[in-house]
Amino acid sequence: MNYDEFYRRSIDQPELFWAEQARLIHWDTPPQQILDQSHPPFRRWFVGGTTNLCYNAVDRHLAERADQLALVAISTETGITREFSYRQLHGEVNTFAAVLQSLGVGKGDRVVIYLPNIAEAVFAMLACARIGAIHSVVFGGFAAHNLALRIDDAQPKLLIAADAGMRGGKVIPYKPLVDAALNEASAPPPHVLMINRGLAPSLSYQAGRDIDYAPLHQAHLGREVPVTWLESNEPSYLLYTSGTTGKPKGVQRDVGGYAVAMALSIRHVFDIAPGQVMFSTSDVGWAVGHSYNVYGPLIGGATSLLYEGLPTQPDPGIWWRLCERYRVRTMFSSPTAIRVLKKQDESWLRQADLSRLKWLFLAGEPLDEPTAQWITDALGVPVIDNYWQTETGWPAITLMPGLDLKTVKFGSPGLPAPGYRMKVIDESHGREVPAGVKGVLVFEPPLPPGCLTTVWGDDARYIRSYFSHFKELLYSSLDWAIRDEDGYTFILGRTDDVINVAGHRLGTREIEESVASHPAVAEAAVIGMRDELKGQVPIVFATLKQDAGDGTGAVAKAMQQRVVDQLGGVAKPSRIYVVNTLPKTRSGKLLRRSLQALAEQRDPGDLSTLDDPAALDDIRRALERGPDQGS
Ligand code: ATP
Ligand code: MG
């Protein structure tokens, strides 16, 4: 079936379409009703059906592929690679589930998982799913305060943590962060289950609270824990959004709808069939990690690669060598990671045999054209931008090469995924805008299977955050978009990333794209700075490639000229600063609000989601030193 037909059916005959897709997974009891939308904006998919994510990801494959690789956990930090067949994965998950039960964890209990990108994170997630416990993975790079906030919101029965993570060869002890978080939290769990990797020099355990996993693992080895069948709409897990725009929201996912969305997307979006290999470079702590390092590939009977380390260590060829060694078919990464590699010598790409690699998917932030062009040329395979949010759980706008590959248009993630009733509407009157006109990207309810069911513990916040922006009941993505004549959608940035220059509304993204199209530029961030005359003026912060050639002053001048040539004089950046790094969230998204605050000499505010606090010092220094272009 081709994309157009597939998508059409999902919109015109949703119940028939999703009833058919539901057959991709195993149900203990089949659904009685495909869709219940009696209480919009809430909706329930596959009502009355009972299933289990762990069963579909693990047990179901034992009959046909017990000895096939299920999970390969590679760490270039410790130098250790661990491979697990489906049979071994089944063993590890059962043992972990038995350990959880021995600690009193059962159906409906929350378990916060604060681990680096290691195999135990996957075992822990699947073990929770097996017994109906609700996991909430907190990215291992988050600081104590972030962890405490999430603990208080989820109120877990157990926290699973590691002694340490590693980054760029440096050990980052987790235990002191855990202790600080539990001190700060008002609802700390009674126990911390510690995965001791032997990395932290000295570990102090609090008697009665902190428990080592290794002896429990030994004690429960070989145990089989029966699967707890859950009604399709019961919660499976919580995942907090990145917090780019404010206080993170606890995105709640269901069981059946999510399983079906994973089965559909791994096949038809990511073009992975059972036995094939998927390499997602994400951390399990992000939405991509949940869906395409764990549940998607495993529900699809594939082999999933999990990677702990930097894309550039031991050298910038590492990812491509892994693609060669494991015969990776589909790779999934982020524009940020590709821009890091773009700063390196391209020959690293040519040294590996990439003949098995068919697709590179990129998501998480805007994919600028120069980066898309560079990696497309370097790899010689289609590069597929896909748009989604933690909330959606899987791509909302993408091409679907598993069905048929439509033309790739740089700058656009493509077309709506099945079940997404996408519209681009005018923010003031709420009506759909014609092709070529910018508006807010919205989805008409019901949201397809896989998307969030609510905000954890706060139905009111779910409605307020997503469905209260327009007169009609519409899910607002809070992103600007524009559709072209062929129905391709271009994302223009967040609704709060618009600047107003002398009455002209300019998207920061357009100016960034223009600046980044200069061959010497690695990455650019644009903010609007208060200006007495014009209201706001665009200010550029840019990083250069390693071999930028000409002096920074000349490059900065050329950047400014480019913007004027491409977007007109009104978009002319009034100042350009060349810097070493840009402030990003831990998930690699540009933190414009902190740049803006610094430029306006305000307190940068909550920096807890910032990846590298040193980036701000770099910006401060640049501001003090003065611009490389403009005054
Ligand atoms: P918060 O909602 O807490 O502020 P966040 O929006 O950064 O955090 P995520 O759910 O991780 O948290 O990010 C989703 C956002 O990332 C999208 O709304 C969009 O702004 C951006 N995004 C994701 N994929 C793409 C893409 N392919 N092109 C452009 N933007 C993208
Ligand atoms: Mg968001």
Side-chain angles (χ1 to χ4, degrees):
M1 196 183 290
N2 65 28
Y3 163 79
D4 300 276
E5 215 181 312
F6 200 73
Y7 178 71
R8 264 290 114 228
R9 291 204 48 211
S10 78
I11 299 302
D12 295 344
Q13 300 173 292
E15 307 216 10
L16 264 178
F17 176 87
W18 289 108
E20 234 169 73
Q21 300 305 318
R23 288 190 213 119
L24 294 170
I25 67 156
H26 171 86
W27 297 89
D28 190 53
T29 324
Q32 266 103 64
Q33 185 186 353
I34 298 302
L35 171 62
D36 166 18
Q37 44 178 338
S38 50
H39 300 286
F42 299 94
R43 87 293 183 216
R44 299 191 304 149
W45 288 102
F46 310 119
V47 182
T50 62
T51 184
N52 181 287
L53 285 173
C54 178
Y55 182 88
N56 276 285
V58 185
D59 304 54
R60 193 184 183 204
H61 304 304
L62 293 180
E64 271 185 51
R65 47 193 77 253
D67 295 314
Q68 177 199 307
L69 277 184
L71 177 70
V72 183
I74 302 133
S75 173
T76 52
E77 296 288 352
T78 61
I80 297 169
T81 293
R82 297 157 75 200
E83 299 183 337
F84 302 90
S85 66
Y86 271 99
R87 191 197 314 284
Q88 290 166 322
L89 179 64
H90 181 258
E92 291 291 347
V93 169
N94 272 277
T95 304
F96 214 116
V99 171
L100 291 180
Q101 285 182 332
S102 78
L103 296 172
V105 177
K107 183 180 161 181
D109 291 334
R110 274 81 59 208
V111 174
V112 168
I113 300 174
Y114 183 65
L115 292 173
N117 232 15
I118 56 174
E120 280 73 13
V122 180
F123 305 156
M125 290 164 78
L126 292 168
C128 286
R130 188 170 195 86
I131 61 173
I134 301 168
H135 61 69
S136 174
V137 183
V138 175
F139 172 57
F142 274 138
H145 176 65
N146 299 89
L147 179 58
L149 284 180
R150 287 160 173 80
I151 288 173
D152 281 342
D153 198 70
Q155 312 215 336
K157 187 114 181 219
L158 179 72
L159 171 63
I160 304 174
D163 56 337
M166 283 185 75
R167 194 163 140 124
K170 254 191 22 215
V171 171
I172 300 157
Y174 280 17
K175 189 60 189 356
L177 302 176
V178 166
D179 291 340
L182 293 183
N183 257 334
E184 185 184 331
S186 47
H191 294 297
V192 181
L193 182 61
M194 290 292 301
I195 313 286
N196 187 354
R197 310 171 73 193
L199 294 176
S202 60
L203 262 190
S204 64
Y205 280 14
Q206 186 174 312
R209 188 194 72 183
D210 303 343
I211 303 164
D212 237 324
Y213 180 63
L216 288 179
H217 178 265
Q218 203 55 38
H220 292 90
L221 215 57
R223 279 275 313 279
E224 291 228 6
V225 174
V227 161
T228 301
W229 300 107
L230 300 170
E231 199 275 335
S232 176
N233 294 280
E234 292 188 78
S236 57
Y237 69 78
L238 312 179
L239 177 58
Y240 290 82
T241 59
S242 309
T244 309
T245 48
K247 185 179 164 239
K249 300 171 277 279
V251 163
Q252 180 175 321
R253 210 84 75 197
D254 65 4
V255 182
Y258 182 65
V260 172
M262 290 301 98
L264 179 157
S265 58
I266 198 71
R267 196 67 203 246
H268 299 311
V269 177
F270 296 98
D271 190 31
I272 288 282
Q276 294 179 336
V277 185
M278 169 110 182
F279 178 17
S280 160
T281 66
S282 175
D283 190 280
V284 285
W286 307 129
V288 175
H290 280 66
S291 293
Y292 300 109
N293 285 84
V294 184
Y295 291 112
L298 296 179
I299 287 174
T303 300
S304 174
L305 267 55
L306 185 72
Y307 180 79
E308 181 191 41
L310 300 178
T312 47
Q313 276 183 15
D315 60 62
I318 178 65
W319 283 359
W320 316 117
R321 285 198 299 280
L322 288 172
C323 285
E324 175 181 333
R325 174 159 351 128
Y326 289 98
R327 301 166 166 242
V328 171
R329 176 181 176 86
T330 300
M331 185 162 166
F332 194 163
S333 194
S334 65
T336 300
I338 301 303
R339 282 192 289 263
V340 166
L341 293 173
K342 186 171 153 219
K343 285 186 178 181
Q344 313 290 330
D345 195 334
E346 204 176 300
S347 66
W348 288 109
L349 268 149
R350 309 206 188 285
Q351 291 169 24
D353 172 8
L354 297 176
S355 53
R356 294 293 184 126
L357 188 69
K358 285 209 66 171
W359 322 103
L360 172 65
F361 284 78
L362 298 173
E365 9 135 24
L367 173 61
D368 57 284
E369 210 176 306
T371 303
Q373 186 68 61
W374 176 79
I375 190 68
T376 303
D377 294 345
L379 284 179
V381 303
V383 171
I384 298 171
D385 180 5
N386 60 131
Y387 166 90
W388 44 310
Q389 304 184 306
T390 305
E391 290 86 345
T392 66
W394 59 296
I397 306 175
T398 186
L399 298 183
M400 298 182 63
L403 290 169
D404 56 353
L405 180 65
K406 297 263 191 184
T407 315
V408 173
K409 290 193 191 185
F410 286 149
S412 168
L415 306 162
Y420 286 90
R421 299 163 181 272
M422 202 191 97
K423 282 181 167 179
V424 179
I425 65 169
D426 184 285
E427 59 169 335
S428 50
H429 54 63
R431 283 189 296 274
E432 231 172 328
V433 295
V437 176
K438 175 174 158 181
V440 181
L441 176 70
V442 300
F443 302 118
E444 214 173 282
L447 294 176
C451 294
L452 83 170
T453 50
T454 187
V455 171
W456 173 249
D458 202 344
D459 285 350
R461 192 171 178 209
Y462 172 67
I463 298 173
R464 193 172 64 240
S465 305
Y466 303 110
F467 291 95
S468 62
H469 300 268
F470 306 102
K471 242 193 359 264
E472 257 183 280
L473 201 57
L474 294 168
Y475 172 92
S476 175
S477 69
L478 303 173
D479 286 312
W480 294 113
I482 199 164
R483 272 216 261 201
D484 73 6
E485 297 287 346
D486 304 326
Y488 279 63
T489 301
F490 294 74
I491 304 295
L492 303 175
R494 294 163 191 264
T495 47
D496 54 1
D497 284 342
V498 168
I499 62 178
N500 198 318
V501 183
H504 300 276
R505 289 159 63 76
L506 301 171
T508 47
R509 162 118 198 245
E510 304 166 65
I511 307 177
E512 281 162 10
E513 285 255 350
S514 172
V515 170
S517 70
H518 189 286
V521 174
E523 207 169 354
V526 171
I527 55 155
M529 194 173 148
R530 260 203 305 276
D531 179 88
E532 278 187 22
L533 218 59
K534 298 182 176 169
Q536 282 184 307
V537 289
I539 307 280
V540 175
F541 296 88
T543 62
L544 302 186
K545 286 187 199 149
Q546 265 174 356
D547 49 355
D550 307 348
T552 43
V555 174
K557 198 169 169 158
M559 287 183 217
Q560 193 181 42
Q561 192 54 46
R562 229 162 229 263
V563 176
V564 173
D565 293 345
Q566 293 175 354
L567 303 175
V570 16
K572 179 177 175 180
S574 68
R575 257 161 275 167
I576 294 182
Y577 296 90
V578 174
V579 296
N580 297 318
T581 42
L582 294 171
K584 303 247 177 108
T585 65
R586 298 305 314 243
S587 52
K589 294 178 203 293
L590 206 52
L591 256 183
R592 285 197 195 77
R593 62 179 162 85
S594 65
L595 268 180
Q596 175 121 30
L598 287 187
E600 293 181 349
Q601 297 182 321
R602 283 185 287 114
D603 173 14
D606 176 19
L607 294 177
S608 53
T609 55
L610 188 68
D611 182 27
D612 175 14
L616 289 190
D617 296 332
D618 188 38
I619 302 294
R620 279 196 192 93
R621 274 195 300 274
L623 288 165
E624 272 166 32
R625 195 186 63 219
D628 297 279
Q629 174 66 19
S631 58

